[in-house]
Amino acid sequence: MPKQKLDAAHCLAATCPRGKKKTDYWDTVIPGFILEVRPSGGKTYYLRYIDSNGKQRQIKIGRFEAITFAQARNKARKLRSEVELEGNPAERKAAKKAVPTYAELAKQHIEHAKTYQKRPENTEAVLRVHLIPRWGSLRLDEIKQQDVARWLAEKRKELAPATVEKLRMILGRSFALAASWELPGAERNPVKGISRPRFNNARERFLSAAEADRLLEAAAQSTNPQLLAIIHLLMLTGARKSELLNADWRNLDLERKAWFIPDSKTGKPRHVPLSKAAISVIEDLPRFDGCPYLLPNPKTRKPYNTIKRAWATARDTAKLGDFHLHDLRHSAASFMINGGVDLFTVGRILGHADHQSTMRYSHLANDTLLAAVEAGAAGMQTPSTP
């Protein structure tokens, strides 16, 4: 088809001659600007050009019925300018399409977490509930630091500081993984450089002896037949809930008064010493044929998935306010420290990875430390000392 200056009237009247699969109408003003017409009557605007390697490229501008001729011509002129100045807009368009969306990256992040995390479901929940709904539809290079910083600031108005910090860390981790996998669009991590507000996430809630008694009395009335033993052993051992609920009889040595935990939160196994009171509770536990677990659900003979409802009922009955189940671990530490046990030993029993975790209890040790300095002072006194 001979070239001619395309205009709206020519494009409207253009047809495909019978027997041809398609006909191209070339514009004489903008090099490479064409209208493709098919036997069905369908028409599409394109720009064709030769790239730096001598290969013909084609970029779709739009369907005839979807855009006006003026819009198509303006787009063609812009694309032609890019060809003359920058070389290959089709290649850049393909590169843009190659950048994955955050939803696609999040899927890979979840699969990666499953290869090494003990509880990848926690990472998956953060991605599914918070990150994917906000960022999932955007391509990685569309997620900007300013937008992320603004979003985190808004989240701090509705979520706990520790939760917002988890959002920041996991989003940053996504981009770090994408960079290590050399995914396009991840050359810059939008989380990097966003300041982390300081906050104190440590809870200072410990049971008094009277509160502990009330809680045990309330647990004894629970419809969950294992709740009393669970709460009592958490108090006596300082173990984490997951460690106790998954405890196996094979790892208990009552003669040596020791409980072996092969897989703790820190990733390191440890031994927990068992007091006479803890052993007494364990000896009174029912045993189920063929069931290896210390405190299984009697109906399923499997570890409990959750004890939230039974715990909440007992806590409210004991009038403990916002006391958390994990606070039993803190309470165990406080009972030991107030009983004169040093911080290092308490940290070993609780399985802390470093001493900083144990230092949160340092103020509780004041009486023990005071007794130590008084003993030291007494040892220094001589008959001549006033």
Side-chain angles (χ1 to χ4, degrees), residues 51-62:
D51 67 15
S52 57
N53 296 317
K55 183 177 180 180
Q56 186 181 74
R57 298 280 188 172
Q58 176 174 281
I59 301 176
K60 180 179 177 180
I61 295 174

Side-chain angles (χ1 to χ4, degrees), residues 22-308:
K22 66 177 181 179
T23 300
D24 294 334
Y25 291 83
W26 292 76
D27 184 37
T28 56
V29 178
I30 304 174
F33 179 36
I34 67 170
L35 175 71
E36 178 187 279
V37 184
R38 295 173 292 279
S40 63
K43 305 175 184 180
T44 305
Y45 294 108
Y46 289 97
L47 182 80
R48 289 182 188 157
Y49 64 95
I50 304 299
D51 67 15
S52 57
N53 296 317
K55 183 177 180 180
Q56 186 181 74
R57 298 280 188 172
Q58 176 174 281
I59 301 176
K60 180 179 177 180
I61 295 174
R63 292 179 292 111
F64 173 81
E65 62 271 22
I67 59 176
T68 66
F69 173 77
Q71 289 172 327
R73 181 182 57 199
N74 290 338
K75 181 66 175 179
R77 184 175 288 114
K78 180 180 178 182
L79 289 171
R80 189 69 213 184
S81 297
E82 291 182 23
V83 170
E84 297 296 333
L85 297 173
E86 302 175 23
N88 197 343
E91 190 174 80
R92 289 192 296 278
K93 184 176 181 181
K96 178 68 176 176
K97 279 189 172 183
V99 176
T101 64
Y102 182 73
E104 293 169 330
L105 172 58
K107 183 177 180 180
Q108 295 180 60
H109 188 162
I110 291 170
E111 292 305 313
H112 177 70
K114 291 177 180 178
T115 66
Y116 74 99
Q117 289 184 355
K118 289 184 60 179
R119 295 180 179 82
E121 62 273 13
N122 294 338
T123 295
E124 182 176 6
V126 171
L127 289 163
R128 176 173 46 80
V129 175
H130 297 286
L131 298 180
I132 294 176
R134 173 60 183 87
W135 308 106
S137 62
L138 298 179
R139 297 190 184 277
L140 300 188
D141 57 356
E142 295 175 329
I143 301 176
K144 306 300 181 183
Q145 184 187 73
Q146 184 178 9
D147 296 330
V148 174
R150 187 183 300 114
W151 179 69
L152 291 173
E154 290 297 320
K155 285 297 180 181
R156 291 187 188 101
K157 298 177 182 178
E158 57 183 271
L159 301 174
T163 302
V164 178
E165 176 60 11
K166 186 174 292 185
L167 302 185
R168 188 187 72 86
M169 290 179 63
I170 293 181
L171 181 59
R173 175 63 172 160
S174 288
F175 275 86
L177 289 171
S180 70
W181 296 330
E182 298 183 349
L183 297 183
E187 293 77 15
R188 187 176 187 280
N189 190 328
V191 180
K192 190 174 183 179
I194 297 178
S195 60
R196 175 186 180 274
R198 293 185 178 182
F199 64 92
N200 182 7
N201 192 42
R203 286 175 57 85
E204 297 289 338
R205 184 67 169 91
F206 310 101
L207 286 176
S208 66
E211 288 175 327
D213 287 341
R214 293 206 309 270
L215 180 58
L216 291 174
E217 289 177 6
Q221 302 168 22
S222 175
T223 56
N224 183 330
Q226 301 280 45
L227 185 66
L228 175 59
I230 291 171
I231 290 177
H232 206 173
L233 286 173
L234 289 175
M235 286 183 187
L236 293 170
T237 64
R240 298 177 179 90
K241 178 191 69 173
S242 60
E243 294 171 342
L244 183 61
L245 294 186
N246 291 284
D248 193 312
W249 281 103
R250 293 174 300 178
N251 294 323
L252 289 167
D253 189 335
L254 299 186
E255 289 187 7
R256 295 179 57 194
K257 301 180 180 179
W259 168 24
F260 176 62
I261 299 178
D263 188 17
S264 66
K265 180 181 178 182
T266 62
K268 297 179 180 179
R270 77 177 197 276
H271 287 86
V272 176
L274 298 174
S275 64
K276 291 180 180 179
I279 290 175
S280 178
V281 173
I282 293 172
E283 288 177 338
D284 288 340
L285 292 176
R287 300 288 293 264
F288 302 94
D289 291 340
C291 178
Y293 300 106
L294 185 69
L295 289 159
N297 182 325
K299 294 180 180 178
T300 65
R301 308 293 171 88
K302 301 288 184 181
Y304 284 98
N305 291 322
T306 179
I307 57 170
K308 286 183 178 179

Side-chain angles (χ1 to χ4, degrees), residues 288-334:
F288 302 94
D289 291 340
C291 178
Y293 300 106
L294 185 69
L295 289 159
N297 182 325
K299 294 180 180 178
T300 65
R301 308 293 171 88
K302 301 288 184 181
Y304 284 98
N305 291 322
T306 179
I307 57 170
K308 286 183 178 179
R309 183 175 297 180
W311 160 255
T313 300
R315 178 197 60 196
D316 295 343
T317 300
K319 296 181 172 56
L320 298 183
D322 68 342
F323 191 80
H324 296 179
L325 186 65
H326 190 71
D327 292 333
L328 292 175
R329 179 170 161 85
H330 304 323
S331 297
S334 72

